[in-house]
Amino acid sequence: MEAILAEASKRGTPDQHLAYMLATAFHETGGKMQPVRENLTYSSAAQIRKTWPSRFPTVASAQPYVRTPQKLANKVYGGRLGNVGPDDGWIYRGDGLPQLTGKTNFDKFGVKPGMDLKTAIRVMFDGMAKGMFTGAKLERYFGDGKEDPVGARAIVNGTDKAALIAGYYKNFLDSIVAARDVKTKDVVAEAAKPDDVPAGESKSLMAIGSGLITSGGLAAFTGGPWGFAALALLLAVGVLGLWLVMSGRVEIKRIKDAL
């Protein structure tokens, strides 16, 4: 995730835009925040039909594609999105942070399947900021008084899981704003000074990290079927805050004992 944040800093990306890109990457990579190839190994015909109801009118019609990812990819992506070769559906299946799919889209960005992190980040920023995925841009939904994280799903994929990703967006945005506000406001400037150690050795940071893991982290593990997703989001947001501090973009300050 640090590479995404560094790219945002280089481009001067607004906080809301960054938060929605992080939320999108978090969702589409299953919390990994690294480029992934689409996993099409389904264990049940019912799930295949639920995912592509227009291509599988019955559960029985989906049965031959259970646990056959290459065959399934060529069925659902073949003959569209610029895929014309017999194996193009499989070759140009989802890839990246937002999942780039189809030969036409790979060609549009000038990339090949199996993107590395640097390439995947460029694709995400250009695709979401410039509208290269669907024509919709981040600026349509954020900024100048606008904030529509549900509608913003159209930037990548219509309305699929729009409300869920909007929730991730709020968590990431809250973390970004909180990190920028960490320069304590209720302490006079003379009394507040940075810790006398590098950020990486700061006991304040250690305490924050410990609290995230022992309280929120354990709660996420015991929170039912969404526990692992909640923990992944918690850790991703924590990494965001720590990176902002350790990169020098914000400082942790405390009141000295001399007060």
Side-chain angles (χ1 to χ4, degrees):
M1 189 166 67
E2 291 181 9
I4 299 173
L5 301 173
E7 182 70 14
S9 179
K10 183 175 73 174
R11 294 189 183 216
T13 303
D15 288 350
Q16 289 180 328
H17 291 197
L18 172 59
Y20 194 76
M21 283 192 281
L22 289 169
T24 298
F26 180 84
H27 171 72
E28 302 232 347
T29 65
K32 295 181 176 68
M33 304 301 278
Q34 294 284 329
V36 297
R37 298 301 309 273
E38 184 176 7
N39 181 1
L40 290 163
T41 304
Y42 285 81
S43 59
S44 76
Q47 187 60 43
I48 292 174
R49 184 173 184 274
K50 180 180 178 181
T51 305
W52 289 284
S54 64
R55 287 171 172 73
F56 300 100
T58 64
V59 171
S61 66
Q63 189 60 46
Y65 298 91
V66 172
R67 295 189 179 87
T68 57
Q70 187 168 348
K71 181 178 178 181
L72 177 60
N74 288 323
K75 167 68 174 178
V76 298
Y77 295 136
R80 65 190 187 98
L81 302 172
N83 296 331
V84 294
D87 210 30
D88 278 359
W90 172 248
I91 295 170
Y92 297 103
R93 69 192 186 277
D95 186 14
L97 292 166
Q99 294 282 277
L100 194 65
T101 307
K103 187 176 187 301
T104 295
N105 288 318
F106 280 88
D107 290 347
K108 181 193 299 183
F109 286 91
V111 299
K112 300 294 184 182
M115 287 184 277
D116 60 21
L117 180 60
K118 182 178 179 180
T119 301
I121 288 173
R122 173 179 67 80
V123 168
M124 179 172 72
F125 275 79
D126 288 348
M128 298 185 73
K130 299 178 181 179
M132 293 178 67
F133 290 132
T134 64
K137 305 178 183 180
L138 284 162
E139 65 181 15
R140 180 185 299 180
Y141 303 96
F142 303 101
D144 295 326
K146 303 186 297 291
E147 187 178 20
D148 182 9
V150 175
R153 183 58 176 155
I155 297 168
V156 174
N157 191 10
T159 60
D160 179 60
K161 303 294 189 298
L164 177 64
I165 298 168
Y168 297 153
Y169 158 81
K170 185 178 185 307
N171 288 328
F172 279 114
L173 183 62
D174 286 349
S175 180
I176 292 169
V177 172
R180 295 200 189 286
D181 289 344
V182 77
K183 294 180 179 180
T184 314
K185 296 180 179 178
D186 59 347
V187 180
V188 295
E190 297 79 14
K193 295 181 179 179
D195 283 350
D196 297 325
V197 294
E201 301 172 18
S202 171
K203 292 182 180 179
S204 302
L205 286 180
M206 294 177 187
I208 292 169
S210 175
L212 282 173
I213 298 301
T214 58
S215 59
L218 292 177
F221 267 124
T222 57
W226 294 101
F228 285 102
L231 177 62
L233 178 59
L234 177 71
L235 293 176
V237 171
V239 168
L240 168 60
L242 291 175
W243 181 85
L244 287 170
V245 173
M246 297 184 72
S247 64
R249 284 161 175 78
V250 296
E251 294 175 338
I252 288 185
K253 295 189 175 183
R254 63 184 179 187
I255 301 175
K256 296 297 184 181
D257 295 336
L259 285 179

